[in-house]
Amino acid sequence: AIILHEIPQEISDISVLIQGGFSRKRAVFLNFLCALMCSMGAVTTLLLSQVMELGLGAMLALTAGGFIYIAASDLVPLLRSNELKVALPIQFAATLVGVLSMQSILWLENIIQF
């Protein structure tokens, strides 16, 4: 599940940086630094959840809300613009493949557990 999620995500992150005007080399480097910060944030969240009354679930919910806000306010309008020239059926198909891949993994996990 992580591989199915991370590889396309990192490719799309680099694409967004290139679209924003960075060179390919600089975009890859900045994306690497961002990934390092995400790892440190995950460790910090796990450590803080042990000592704070605000549980891990609440912190993850706040983080998920932040990601949904970014996607809805910045990335979706970019997809709908004419700058990317990607057809709506292709966007829908890519999203559907992602959702079905994750659902397939969930089904497979349930089958293996029994």
Side-chain angles (χ1 to χ4, degrees):
I2 292 171
I3 291 172
L4 285 176
H5 165 77
E6 284 300 321
I7 292 173
Q9 180 205 339
E10 298 306 326
I11 291 171
S12 66
D13 288 348
I14 291 170
S15 299
V16 169
L17 289 171
I18 291 172
Q19 179 75 19
F22 291 97
S23 69
R24 289 182 183 183
K25 189 175 183 178
R26 182 98 172 133
V28 170
F29 177 71
L30 290 174
N31 192 52
F32 174 74
L33 288 180
C34 182
L36 286 178
M37 294 298 122
C38 291
S39 299
M40 291 186 340
V43 170
T44 303
T45 300
L46 290 172
L47 292 174
L48 286 177
S49 70
Q50 302 300 315
V51 296
M52 293 178 63
E53 285 193 30
L54 184 65
L56 179 61
M59 286 192 274
L60 291 175
L62 290 171
T63 303
F67 281 125
I68 291 170
Y69 170 77
I70 291 168
S73 65
D74 292 335
L75 299 180
V76 171
L78 179 63
L79 284 173
R80 301 301 304 146
S81 73
N82 289 332
E83 294 177 29
L84 293 182
K85 307 245 189 275
V86 177
L88 183 60
I90 294 171
Q91 294 172 15
F92 179 75
T95 302
L96 189 61
V97 166
V99 170
L100 291 176
S101 298
M102 298 309 289
Q103 186 61 46
S104 298
I105 290 170
L106 180 62
W107 288 332
L108 184 62
E109 284 181 355
N110 288 333
I111 290 170
I112 292 173
Q113 287 178 355
F114 294 114

XYZ file of all heavy atoms in Angstrom:
859
model
N 0.823 -1.191 0.000
C 0.000 0.000 0.000
C 0.867 1.255 0.000
O 0.581 2.214 -0.701
C -0.928 -0.001 1.214
N 1.940 1.219 0.767
C 2.809 2.391 0.834
C 3.486 2.631 -0.505
O 3.566 3.770 -0.974
C 3.845 2.235 1.975
C 3.133 2.272 3.317
C 4.913 3.311 1.896
C 3.993 1.922 4.491
N 3.957 1.569 -1.145
C 4.613 1.724 -2.449
C 3.620 2.239 -3.484
O 3.940 3.143 -4.256
C 5.244 0.390 -2.899
C 6.434 0.062 -1.992
C 5.697 0.466 -4.351
C 7.005 -1.309 -2.215
N 2.416 1.681 -3.494
C 1.407 2.149 -4.449
C 1.053 3.611 -4.215
O 0.652 4.308 -5.136
C 0.139 1.294 -4.355
C 0.224 -0.088 -4.971
C -1.070 -0.857 -4.704
C 0.490 -0.012 -6.460
N 1.212 4.080 -2.996
C 0.885 5.465 -2.679
C 2.080 6.402 -2.900
O 1.927 7.465 -3.492
C 0.419 5.571 -1.223
C 0.411 6.961 -0.696
N -0.572 7.867 -1.014
C 1.289 7.619 0.099
C -0.307 9.012 -0.424
N 0.812 8.897 0.257
N 3.228 6.014 -2.413
C 4.366 6.932 -2.372
C 4.970 7.225 -3.741
O 5.325 8.364 -4.016
C 5.454 6.390 -1.440
C 5.136 6.565 0.014
C 4.948 8.003 0.440
O 5.685 8.879 -0.043
O 4.054 8.249 1.268
N 5.126 6.229 -4.586
C 5.770 6.468 -5.883
C 4.988 7.471 -6.720
O 5.551 8.475 -7.164
C 6.026 5.143 -6.623
C 7.096 4.337 -5.862
C 6.464 5.402 -8.063
C 7.325 2.950 -6.385
N 3.677 7.280 -6.941
C 2.950 8.305 -7.702
C 2.897 9.656 -6.991
O 2.926 10.700 -7.643
C 1.538 7.728 -7.851
C 1.651 6.296 -7.515
C 2.842 6.134 -6.650
N 2.852 9.636 -5.671
C 2.808 10.902 -4.936
C 4.091 11.683 -5.140
O 4.053 12.889 -5.383
C 2.583 10.665 -3.450
C 2.538 11.974 -2.683
C 2.909 11.833 -1.226
O 2.847 10.765 -0.673
N 3.310 12.922 -0.620
N 5.228 11.021 -5.044
C 6.500 11.723 -5.211
C 6.648 12.235 -6.645
O 7.140 13.344 -6.862
C 7.675 10.809 -4.848
C 7.674 10.344 -3.402
C 7.603 11.459 -2.383
O 8.156 12.542 -2.613
O 6.962 11.255 -1.336
N 6.201 11.460 -7.610
C 6.245 11.912 -9.006
C 5.362 13.143 -9.185
O 5.757 14.122 -9.829
C 5.824 10.776 -9.958
C 6.899 9.687 -9.953
C 5.599 11.300 -11.374
C 6.495 8.415 -10.682
N 4.170 13.118 -8.600
C 3.278 14.277 -8.739
C 3.821 15.485 -7.990
O 3.697 16.612 -8.464
C 1.865 13.930 -8.270
O 1.848 13.673 -6.886
N 4.466 15.268 -6.829
C 5.066 16.388 -6.100
C 6.160 17.051 -6.937
O 6.235 18.277 -7.019
C 5.657 15.916 -4.768
C 4.602 15.553 -3.745
O 3.412 15.871 -3.969
O 4.964 14.938 -2.721
N 6.991 16.247 -7.559
C 8.056 16.792 -8.406
C 7.451 17.521 -9.603
O 7.919 18.594 -9.991
C 9.021 15.668 -8.843
C 9.806 15.171 -7.625
C 9.975 16.154 -9.937
C 10.606 13.906 -7.871
N 6.381 16.969 -10.165
C 5.718 17.625 -11.296
C 5.168 18.992 -10.912
O 5.265 19.953 -11.683
C 4.575 16.754 -11.826
O 5.068 15.526 -12.279
N 4.592 19.089 -9.712
C 4.066 20.369 -9.237
C 5.205 21.376 -9.073
O 5.070 22.546 -9.447
C 3.289 20.184 -7.913
C 2.974 21.512 -7.258
C 2.004 19.402 -8.166
N 6.337 20.930 -8.555
C 7.477 21.832 -8.391
C 8.009 22.299 -9.748
O 8.344 23.479 -9.917
C 8.587 21.145 -7.589
C 8.293 20.938 -6.104
C 9.362 20.062 -5.464
C 8.186 22.267 -5.385
N 8.089 21.393 -10.710
C 8.541 21.764 -12.056
C 7.556 22.745 -12.676
O 7.946 23.740 -13.293
C 8.745 20.510 -12.929
C 9.953 19.714 -12.417
C 8.941 20.898 -14.395
C 10.130 18.358 -13.081
N 6.258 22.477 -12.497
C 5.217 23.380 -13.006
C 5.342 24.762 -12.355
O 5.048 25.776 -12.984
C 3.838 22.787 -12.722
C 2.682 23.633 -13.183
C 2.491 23.581 -14.692
O 2.966 22.677 -15.345
N 1.794 24.558 -15.228
N 5.839 24.792 -11.123
C 6.020 26.049 -10.409
C 7.269 26.809 -10.820
O 7.530 27.884 -10.292
N 8.075 26.244 -11.711
C 9.221 26.968 -12.235
C 10.586 26.466 -11.790
O 11.600 27.033 -12.174
N 10.639 25.414 -10.992
C 11.932 24.881 -10.564
C 12.524 23.998 -11.658
O 11.793 23.371 -12.428
C 11.779 24.055 -9.280
C 11.430 24.875 -8.075
C 10.116 24.990 -7.649
C 12.414 25.539 -7.362
C 9.786 25.739 -6.544
C 12.101 26.296 -6.250
C 10.784 26.400 -5.836
N 13.854 23.901 -11.688
C 14.505 22.965 -12.609
C 14.249 21.545 -12.109
O 13.885 21.338 -10.945
C 16.007 23.233 -12.673
O 16.616 22.887 -11.434
N 14.450 20.569 -12.964
C 14.209 19.174 -12.558
C 15.095 18.766 -11.396
O 14.640 18.128 -10.439
C 14.426 18.234 -13.745
C 13.357 18.351 -14.780
C 13.573 17.381 -15.899
N 12.541 17.597 -16.918
C 12.416 16.880 -17.996
N 13.259 15.913 -18.230
N 11.454 17.125 -18.841
N 16.378 19.132 -11.491
C 17.317 18.765 -10.434
C 16.924 19.414 -9.105
O 16.921 18.762 -8.064
C 18.718 19.195 -10.856
C 19.823 18.700 -9.980
C 21.175 19.078 -10.566
C 22.289 18.515 -9.735
N 23.611 18.813 -10.305
N 16.572 20.680 -9.149
C 16.172 21.412 -7.937
C 14.859 20.844 -7.378
O 14.687 20.737 -6.161
C 16.013 22.900 -8.263
C 15.652 23.749 -7.098
C 16.871 24.410 -6.526
N 16.477 25.375 -5.515
C 17.064 25.444 -4.337
N 18.067 24.664 -4.068
N 16.669 26.318 -3.451
N 13.926 20.485 -8.264
C 12.646 19.927 -7.823
C 12.850 18.604 -7.095
O 12.232 18.363 -6.051
C 11.709 19.748 -9.016
N 13.718 17.754 -7.620
C 13.990 16.465 -6.966
C 14.642 16.696 -5.606
O 14.281 16.065 -4.605
C 14.871 15.565 -7.871
C 15.365 14.350 -7.116
C 14.105 15.152 -9.110
N 15.591 17.627 -5.539
C 16.271 17.925 -4.280
C 15.294 18.470 -3.237
O 15.291 18.025 -2.081
C 17.416 18.919 -4.516
C 18.116 19.329 -3.256
C 18.928 18.437 -2.571
C 17.950 20.605 -2.744
C 19.564 18.808 -1.403
C 18.578 20.988 -1.573
C 19.397 20.088 -0.902
N 14.464 19.429 -3.624
C 13.496 19.995 -2.685
C 12.480 18.958 -2.240
O 12.067 18.945 -1.075
C 12.799 21.203 -3.313
C 13.671 22.441 -3.502
C 12.903 23.516 -4.261
C 14.162 22.964 -2.171
N 12.080 18.074 -3.147
C 11.138 17.020 -2.780
C 11.782 16.055 -1.780
O 11.127 15.581 -0.852
C 10.666 16.278 -4.028
C 9.503 15.389 -3.725
O 8.514 15.822 -3.160
N 9.631 14.127 -4.092
N 13.075 15.783 -1.956
C 13.800 14.932 -1.010
C 13.833 15.571 0.375
O 13.584 14.903 1.385
C 15.215 14.667 -1.530
C 16.075 13.910 -0.563
C 15.874 12.553 -0.346
C 17.070 14.552 0.144
C 16.658 11.849 0.560
C 17.861 13.866 1.051
C 17.655 12.515 1.260
N 14.133 16.879 0.422
C 14.141 17.575 1.709
C 12.765 17.548 2.366
O 12.647 17.366 3.585
C 14.599 19.025 1.524
C 16.074 19.240 1.225
C 16.368 20.724 1.061
C 16.953 18.644 2.306
N 11.734 17.713 1.573
C 10.371 17.671 2.101
C 10.063 16.292 2.683
O 9.451 16.178 3.737
C 9.383 18.025 0.994
S 7.681 18.062 1.565
N 10.502 15.236 1.991
C 10.276 13.879 2.493
C 10.986 13.665 3.827
O 10.451 13.004 4.720
C 10.736 12.854 1.457
N 12.180 14.232 3.966
C 12.884 14.131 5.248
C 12.108 14.828 6.357
O 12.006 14.320 7.474
C 14.286 14.736 5.137
C 15.325 13.933 4.371
C 16.645 14.701 4.321
C 15.530 12.572 4.994
N 11.568 16.002 6.059
C 10.790 16.734 7.053
C 9.528 15.959 7.437
O 9.130 15.951 8.604
C 10.402 18.116 6.537
C 11.570 19.051 6.327
S 12.432 19.377 7.867
C 14.064 18.815 7.437
N 8.911 15.298 6.461
C 7.714 14.495 6.753
C 8.051 13.349 7.701
O 7.290 13.038 8.620
C 7.110 13.957 5.465
S 6.371 15.225 4.436
N 9.196 12.713 7.482
C 9.616 11.623 8.370
C 9.847 12.136 9.779
O 9.430 11.503 10.757
C 10.895 10.973 7.834
O 10.675 10.431 6.567
N 10.512 13.288 9.901
C 10.740 13.863 11.230
C 9.421 14.264 11.879
O 9.235 14.100 13.089
C 11.692 15.051 11.138
C 13.101 14.630 10.787
S 14.417 15.881 10.805
C 13.628 17.419 10.671
N 8.478 14.765 11.086
C 7.168 15.120 11.621
C 6.407 13.908 12.123
O 5.729 13.961 13.156
N 6.530 12.786 11.403
C 5.854 11.562 11.826
C 6.414 11.062 13.154
O 5.664 10.689 14.062
C 5.995 10.486 10.747
N 7.725 11.074 13.287
C 8.351 10.642 14.541
C 7.952 11.574 15.686
O 7.607 11.125 16.779
C 9.894 10.575 14.379
C 10.579 10.375 15.724
C 10.272 9.466 13.419
N 7.964 12.874 15.425
C 7.566 13.848 16.449
C 6.121 13.637 16.874
O 5.798 13.675 18.063
C 7.763 15.283 15.927
O 9.128 15.446 15.534
C 7.396 16.306 16.975
N 5.249 13.392 15.898
C 3.839 13.155 16.214
C 3.677 11.919 17.087
O 2.924 11.934 18.066
C 3.024 12.993 14.919
O 3.131 14.183 14.153
C 1.568 12.693 15.213
N 4.386 10.853 16.753
C 4.288 9.633 17.563
C 4.810 9.864 18.978
O 4.233 9.375 19.949
C 5.044 8.497 16.882
C 4.405 7.970 15.602
C 5.329 6.984 14.902
C 3.062 7.324 15.909
N 5.894 10.618 19.097
C 6.426 10.903 20.433
C 5.493 11.805 21.233
O 5.245 11.566 22.418
C 7.812 11.535 20.320
C 8.918 10.620 19.791
C 10.210 11.403 19.589
C 9.134 9.433 20.707
N 4.972 12.845 20.600
C 4.074 13.771 21.303
C 2.757 13.102 21.696
O 2.170 13.447 22.719
C 3.792 15.003 20.448
C 4.921 16.014 20.333
C 4.519 17.146 19.390
C 5.289 16.571 21.692
N 2.305 12.161 20.892
C 1.035 11.507 21.208
C 1.129 10.675 22.483
O 0.109 10.373 23.100
C 0.573 10.630 20.047
O 1.420 9.493 19.916
N 2.344 10.342 22.890
C 2.529 9.570 24.112
C 2.421 10.431 25.365
O 2.105 9.933 26.435
C 3.899 8.872 24.099
C 4.120 7.956 22.926
C 3.116 6.821 22.858
O 2.822 6.184 23.872
N 2.582 6.565 21.682
N 2.686 11.740 25.235
C 2.709 12.599 26.418
C 1.594 13.639 26.438
O 1.361 14.255 27.469
C 4.078 13.317 26.554
C 5.186 12.312 26.780
C 4.365 14.172 25.346
N 0.915 13.836 25.338
C -0.154 14.839 25.282
C -1.513 14.170 25.438
O -1.676 12.999 25.097
C -0.118 15.582 23.944
C 1.096 16.454 23.745
S 1.115 17.248 22.142
C -0.327 18.260 22.214
N -2.465 14.920 25.954
C -3.812 14.379 26.067
C -4.491 14.300 24.709
O -5.367 13.485 24.499
C -4.644 15.228 27.025
C -4.287 14.990 28.466
C -5.321 15.593 29.390
O -6.497 15.667 29.005
O -4.929 15.970 30.498
N -4.097 15.176 23.808
C -4.631 15.131 22.452
C -4.076 13.871 21.802
O -2.879 13.736 21.614
C -4.190 16.381 21.674
C -4.732 16.536 20.271
C -6.252 16.720 20.316
C -4.104 17.741 19.592
N -4.939 12.936 21.494
C -4.506 11.636 21.014
C -3.971 11.654 19.597
O -4.108 12.628 18.853
N -3.368 10.551 19.232
C -2.816 10.391 17.894
C -3.904 10.542 16.839
O -3.697 11.161 15.800
C -2.122 9.029 17.765
C -1.506 8.690 16.415
C -0.422 9.701 16.053
C -0.943 7.285 16.431
N -5.083 10.015 17.122
C -6.193 10.126 16.172
C -6.562 11.566 15.876
O -6.800 11.938 14.728
N -6.567 12.399 16.920
C -6.894 13.821 16.727
C -5.810 14.520 15.917
O -6.105 15.329 15.033
C -7.071 14.505 18.072
N -4.548 14.212 16.180
C -3.459 14.835 15.421
C -3.483 14.392 13.957
O -3.258 15.201 13.055
C -2.109 14.509 16.060
C -1.871 15.289 17.338
S -0.183 15.197 17.913
C -0.223 13.695 18.854
N -3.760 13.124 13.724
C -3.849 12.642 12.345
C -5.040 13.263 11.616
O -4.961 13.564 10.428
C -3.928 11.118 12.316
C -2.658 10.382 12.740
C -2.898 8.881 12.778
C -1.505 10.710 11.816
N -6.138 13.478 12.338
C -7.304 14.121 11.726
C -6.986 15.561 11.318
O -7.373 16.009 10.229
C -8.481 14.094 12.698
N -6.264 16.291 12.172
C -5.854 17.657 11.823
C -4.939 17.657 10.603
O -5.071 18.505 9.712
C -5.152 18.315 13.012
C -6.041 18.662 14.199
C -5.187 19.100 15.388
C -7.046 19.731 13.820
N -4.028 16.725 10.547
C -3.116 16.631 9.410
C -3.874 16.294 8.134
O -3.633 16.890 7.076
C -2.040 15.568 9.687
O -1.358 15.907 10.895
C -1.039 15.490 8.553
N -4.788 15.341 8.213
C -5.583 14.968 7.037
C -6.403 16.153 6.553
O -6.517 16.391 5.339
C -6.491 13.781 7.369
N -6.960 16.912 7.473
C -7.711 18.100 7.093
C -6.847 19.111 6.358
O -7.279 19.734 5.384
N -5.604 19.257 6.791
C -4.669 20.147 6.103
C -4.395 19.701 4.683
O -4.372 20.509 3.744
N -4.208 18.399 4.499
C -3.958 17.872 3.155
C -5.184 18.038 2.260
O -5.054 18.356 1.074
C -3.543 16.399 3.212
C -2.113 16.195 3.601
C -1.792 15.394 4.679
C -1.086 16.800 2.897
C -0.469 15.194 5.048
C 0.238 16.609 3.252
C 0.547 15.801 4.339
N -6.359 17.816 2.809
C -7.581 17.984 2.013
C -7.739 19.445 1.606
O -8.111 19.747 0.465
C -8.811 17.476 2.797
C -8.740 15.951 2.930
C -10.105 17.901 2.109
C -9.750 15.361 3.877
N -7.431 20.348 2.511
C -7.510 21.781 2.190
C -6.552 22.137 1.050
O -6.920 22.844 0.110
C -7.194 22.626 3.422
C -7.040 24.084 3.087
C -8.159 24.873 2.859
C -5.783 24.660 2.964
C -8.033 26.210 2.532
C -5.641 25.994 2.640
C -6.773 26.766 2.417
O -6.632 28.076 2.075
N -5.325 21.665 1.137
C -4.344 21.956 0.085
C -4.813 21.407 -1.250
O -4.746 22.095 -2.281
C -2.961 21.376 0.462
C -2.379 22.153 1.634
C -2.011 21.413 -0.734
C -1.161 21.497 2.261
N -5.305 20.165 -1.262
C -5.770 19.567 -2.516
C -6.948 20.335 -3.088
O -6.997 20.616 -4.292
C -6.153 18.101 -2.288
N -7.885 20.705 -2.232
C -9.097 21.373 -2.719
C -8.831 22.802 -3.167
O -9.425 23.271 -4.130
C -10.171 21.353 -1.630
N -7.927 23.491 -2.490
C -7.733 24.908 -2.811
C -6.663 25.168 -3.856
O -6.748 26.151 -4.586
C -7.389 25.685 -1.544
O -6.142 25.262 -1.033
N -5.660 24.304 -3.953
C -4.548 24.558 -4.868
C -4.465 23.577 -6.029
O -4.321 23.979 -7.186
C -3.214 24.531 -4.113
C -3.069 25.686 -3.147
O -3.724 26.716 -3.376
O -2.307 25.555 -2.180
N -4.533 22.285 -5.733
C -4.265 21.299 -6.777
C -5.454 21.059 -7.702
O -5.272 20.912 -8.910
C -3.800 19.984 -6.143
C -2.506 20.100 -5.339
C -2.123 18.757 -4.748
C -1.379 20.654 -6.180
N -6.669 21.008 -7.165
C -7.839 20.771 -8.017
C -8.032 21.907 -9.030
O -8.233 21.642 -10.216
C -9.104 20.513 -7.167
C -10.343 20.489 -8.039
C -8.974 19.205 -6.406
N -7.927 23.173 -8.617
C -8.034 24.230 -9.634
C -6.947 24.150 -10.706
O -7.186 24.453 -11.871
C -7.902 25.530 -8.821
C -8.382 25.163 -7.467
C -7.926 23.741 -7.266
N -5.743 23.713 -10.315
C -4.679 23.552 -11.302
C -5.024 22.463 -12.307
O -4.793 22.611 -13.505
C -3.349 23.235 -10.602
C -2.141 23.016 -11.515
C -1.835 24.297 -12.286
C -0.945 22.577 -10.700
N -5.611 21.366 -11.820
C -6.023 20.292 -12.734
C -7.108 20.770 -13.697
O -7.163 20.344 -14.840
C -6.536 19.086 -11.946
C -5.487 18.223 -11.273
C -6.161 17.175 -10.403
C -4.588 17.567 -12.290
N -7.972 21.632 -13.229
C -9.079 22.107 -14.058
C -8.655 23.209 -15.028
O -9.401 23.562 -15.925
C -10.226 22.626 -13.177
C -10.792 21.586 -12.229
C -11.342 20.352 -12.900
N -12.343 20.724 -13.867
C -12.541 20.090 -15.004
N -11.825 19.052 -15.319
N -13.468 20.484 -15.843
N -7.464 23.775 -14.842
C -7.014 24.851 -15.723
C -6.552 24.281 -17.060
O -6.362 23.080 -17.221
C -5.877 25.631 -15.066
O -4.696 24.849 -15.077
N -6.372 25.149 -18.013
C -5.909 24.724 -19.335
C -4.400 24.582 -19.395
O -3.865 24.160 -20.409
C -6.370 25.734 -20.399
C -7.854 25.663 -20.632
O -8.467 24.619 -20.448
N -8.442 26.782 -21.012
N -3.691 24.932 -18.312
C -2.239 24.869 -18.319
C -1.722 23.439 -18.436
O -0.730 23.189 -19.097
C -1.680 25.505 -17.054
C -1.929 26.995 -16.967
C -1.429 27.575 -15.660
O -0.469 27.016 -15.103
O -1.985 28.578 -15.210
N -2.375 22.486 -17.779
C -1.880 21.115 -17.789
C -2.306 20.339 -19.024
O -1.674 19.369 -19.393
C -2.340 20.370 -16.533
C -1.742 20.861 -15.233
C -2.235 20.012 -14.074
C -0.229 20.820 -15.286
N -3.396 20.731 -19.640
C -3.905 20.091 -20.856
C -4.126 18.586 -20.675
O -3.838 17.789 -21.545
C -2.945 20.338 -22.020
C -2.606 21.782 -22.260
C -3.110 22.245 -23.586
C -2.581 23.614 -23.917
N -3.312 24.706 -23.391
N -4.601 18.205 -19.502
C -4.928 16.805 -19.222
C -6.440 16.682 -19.228
O -7.135 17.404 -18.528
C -4.357 16.356 -17.860
C -4.759 14.929 -17.556
C -2.851 16.509 -17.850
N -6.936 15.753 -20.013
C -8.380 15.597 -20.165
C -9.012 15.052 -18.884
O -8.395 14.293 -18.140
C -8.671 14.665 -21.327
N -10.251 15.454 -18.649
C -10.990 15.010 -17.473
C -11.105 13.482 -17.405
O -10.937 12.909 -16.326
C -12.368 15.674 -17.440
C -13.235 15.373 -16.234
C -12.546 15.831 -14.944
C -14.584 16.042 -16.362
N -11.363 12.769 -18.508
C -11.422 11.303 -18.410
C -10.106 10.673 -17.942
O -10.123 9.694 -17.200
C -11.756 10.857 -19.831
C -12.446 12.034 -20.444
C -11.793 13.232 -19.831
N -8.980 11.260 -18.326
C -7.693 10.729 -17.882
C -7.522 10.969 -16.378
O -7.065 10.090 -15.650
C -6.536 11.356 -18.688
C -6.623 10.922 -20.148
C -5.182 10.982 -18.091
C -5.667 11.636 -21.064
N -7.904 12.148 -15.906
C -7.829 12.450 -14.474
C -8.728 11.495 -13.687
O -8.330 10.962 -12.647
C -8.252 13.890 -14.205
C -7.337 14.930 -14.784
C -7.910 16.326 -14.639
O -8.842 16.554 -13.885
N -7.342 17.270 -15.374
N -9.932 11.279 -14.184
C -10.870 10.385 -13.503
C -10.337 8.959 -13.484
O -10.407 8.274 -12.455
C -12.240 10.436 -14.183
C -13.248 9.530 -13.547
C -13.827 9.867 -12.338
C -13.599 8.333 -14.152
C -14.752 9.022 -11.737
C -14.518 7.485 -13.561
C -15.098 7.832 -12.346
N -9.793 8.496 -14.616
C -9.262 7.129 -14.697
C -8.094 6.946 -13.724
O -8.001 5.915 -13.047
C -8.838 6.818 -16.124
N -7.215 7.934 -13.635
C -6.078 7.838 -12.722
C -6.550 7.782 -11.270
O -6.037 6.997 -10.468
C -5.132 9.017 -12.940
N -7.542 8.586 -10.928
C -8.093 8.571 -9.575
C -8.754 7.228 -9.282
O -8.576 6.646 -8.205
C -9.109 9.715 -9.400
O -8.460 10.951 -9.672
C -9.686 9.733 -7.991
N -9.502 6.713 -10.238
C -10.174 5.428 -10.074
C -9.174 4.287 -9.889
O -9.370 3.417 -9.036
C -11.088 5.163 -11.267
C -12.022 3.973 -11.162
C -12.973 4.159 -9.991
C -12.807 3.813 -12.455
N -8.100 4.303 -10.650
C -7.062 3.278 -10.495
C -6.467 3.343 -9.088
O -6.249 2.306 -8.449
C -5.958 3.442 -11.577
C -4.725 2.630 -11.228
C -6.486 3.044 -12.937
N -6.221 4.547 -8.586
C -5.691 4.697 -7.235
C -6.635 4.171 -6.174
O -6.230 3.434 -5.275
N -7.908 4.530 -6.279
C -8.902 4.074 -5.302
C -9.053 2.557 -5.353
O -9.074 1.875 -4.316
C -10.260 4.776 -5.539
C -11.359 4.143 -4.708
C -10.151 6.257 -5.234
N -9.138 1.999 -6.542
C -9.288 0.540 -6.679
C -8.053 -0.206 -6.194
O -8.169 -1.291 -5.617
C -9.612 0.174 -8.124
C -11.003 0.611 -8.606
C -11.188 0.273 -10.089
C -12.096 -0.028 -7.775
N -6.877 0.367 -6.410
C -5.651 -0.272 -5.913
C -5.661 -0.352 -4.394
O -5.360 -1.404 -3.816
C -4.419 0.517 -6.372
O -4.320 0.538 -7.758
N -6.019 0.735 -3.749
C -6.048 0.741 -2.290
C -7.145 -0.185 -1.756
O -6.947 -0.880 -0.758
C -6.236 2.163 -1.762
C -5.099 3.106 -2.156
S -3.453 2.475 -1.791
C -3.444 2.594 -0.029
N -8.298 -0.222 -2.413
C -9.381 -1.108 -1.979
C -8.979 -2.567 -2.167
O -9.287 -3.413 -1.331
C -10.661 -0.797 -2.751
C -11.861 -1.566 -2.255
C -12.205 -1.255 -0.805
O -12.239 -0.109 -0.408
N -12.462 -2.273 -0.017
N -8.271 -2.869 -3.245
C -7.809 -4.233 -3.484
C -6.857 -4.690 -2.390
O -6.906 -5.839 -1.948
C -7.110 -4.337 -4.848
O -8.001 -4.028 -5.871
N -5.992 -3.799 -1.948
C -5.076 -4.140 -0.860
C -5.852 -4.422 0.418
O -5.551 -5.376 1.144
C -4.042 -3.016 -0.656
C -3.071 -2.987 -1.835
C -3.285 -3.188 0.652
C -2.163 -1.795 -1.858
N -6.878 -3.630 0.698
C -7.702 -3.855 1.885
C -8.396 -5.213 1.809
O -8.410 -5.968 2.783
C -8.732 -2.735 2.036
C -9.665 -2.829 3.232
C -8.885 -2.781 4.537
C -10.693 -1.715 3.185
N -8.953 -5.532 0.645
C -9.595 -6.840 0.480
C -8.585 -7.974 0.663
O -8.871 -8.982 1.294
C -10.260 -6.947 -0.890
C -11.503 -6.121 -1.034
C -12.375 -5.745 -0.055
C -12.011 -5.558 -2.237
N -13.389 -4.984 -0.578
C -13.196 -4.855 -1.911
C -11.593 -5.562 -3.558
C -13.952 -4.193 -2.857
C -12.347 -4.896 -4.505
C -13.512 -4.223 -4.154
N -7.398 -7.799 0.095
C -6.366 -8.821 0.212
C -5.952 -9.010 1.667
O -5.761 -10.142 2.125
C -5.164 -8.458 -0.658
C -4.035 -9.465 -0.720
C -4.524 -10.778 -1.321
C -2.882 -8.927 -1.543
N -5.803 -7.934 2.419
C -5.467 -8.037 3.835
C -6.524 -8.800 4.605
O -6.217 -9.620 5.477
C -5.286 -6.643 4.440
C -4.005 -5.970 4.091
C -3.865 -4.606 4.734
O -4.827 -4.131 5.385
O -2.821 -3.995 4.563
N -7.804 -8.541 4.307
C -8.885 -9.238 4.989
C -8.899 -10.716 4.662
O -9.199 -11.547 5.516
C -10.234 -8.602 4.658
C -10.407 -7.253 5.328
O -9.818 -6.999 6.361
N -11.200 -6.390 4.714
N -8.584 -11.075 3.437
C -8.544 -12.481 3.039
C -7.396 -13.194 3.734
O -7.541 -14.316 4.229
C -8.416 -12.607 1.499
C -9.713 -12.156 0.839
C -8.065 -14.039 1.092
C -9.621 -12.021 -0.671
N -6.230 -12.564 3.803
C -5.046 -13.179 4.402
C -5.211 -13.359 5.906
O -4.742 -14.342 6.472
C -3.780 -12.355 4.084
C -3.482 -12.459 2.594
C -2.591 -12.811 4.900
C -2.356 -11.573 2.121
N -5.924 -12.464 6.593
C -6.100 -12.541 8.037
C -6.933 -13.741 8.440
O -6.791 -14.255 9.548
C -6.739 -11.280 8.585
C -5.783 -10.105 8.594
C -6.449 -8.836 9.106
O -7.645 -8.816 9.366
N -5.675 -7.783 9.255
N -7.807 -14.216 7.591
C -8.670 -15.334 7.962
C -8.025 -16.603 7.661
O -7.446 -17.275 7.308
C -10.013 -15.253 7.269
C -10.821 -14.064 7.715
C -11.123 -13.024 6.861
C -11.264 -13.973 9.017
C -11.871 -11.943 7.272
C -12.004 -12.885 9.441
C -12.308 -11.880 8.574
